[in-house]
Amino acid sequence: ALAAVPGPVPGVTRRMLFDYAGEPWRARYSQLVLAPGTQVPAHVTSAMTDLFVLSGEIRAGDEAAGSGCYVTIDADTELTLSSRYGARVLAWADGPARWRDGTARGDLYGW
């Protein structure tokens, strides 16, 4: 029953679903809501990251993913995320991401 908090970039809110800190397998499981027109700057994943689009549509890099689509992002992958009309996404991240532009902001996936 955690409240959604503003994400690290405008237009993104994040609700932590489960934080595996202190467990043998460390990961973050969260829900991201992207407002219409959201542009998430380029970031690089440090570990496998999975996205499941519950509703709406996102662009992960150059690929579109709509409702019911599953996106697997390998470790050390650079990508941007965006949503033209808004989306609700479940995100499982096995490691933190780093922002490509070097700007100090929180982790997109909740690390």
Side-chain angles (χ1 to χ4, degrees):
L2 294 174
V5 297
V9 296
V12 175
T13 57
R14 182 181 61 233
R15 180 187 317 259
M16 186 62 66
L17 300 177
F18 199 83
D19 181 349
Y20 289 83
E23 299 292 327
W25 184 265
R26 295 185 60 208
R28 300 295 187 275
Y29 183 46
S30 58
Q31 174 184 264
L32 303 176
V33 176
L34 283 72
T38 297
Q39 300 284 328
V40 177
H43 58 286
V44 179
T45 58
S46 65
M48 182 74 80
T49 302
D50 298 309
L51 307 176
F52 180 76
V53 182
L54 290 171
S55 61
E57 181 180 271
I58 63 170
R59 291 198 71 76
D62 294 330
E63 299 295 322
S67 297
C69 287
Y70 191 79
V71 179
T72 298
I73 305 162
D74 290 325
D76 300 317
T77 298
E78 180 180 329
L79 78 150
T80 58
L81 293 175
S82 63
S83 182
R84 186 172 178 184
Y85 300 110
R88 185 176 304 269
V89 177
L90 296 178
W92 177 282
D94 287 339
R98 73 177 183 282
W99 296 103
R100 192 71 174 123
D101 62 6
T103 301
R105 53 172 83 89
D107 185 78
L108 180 62
Y109 306 108
W111 281 87

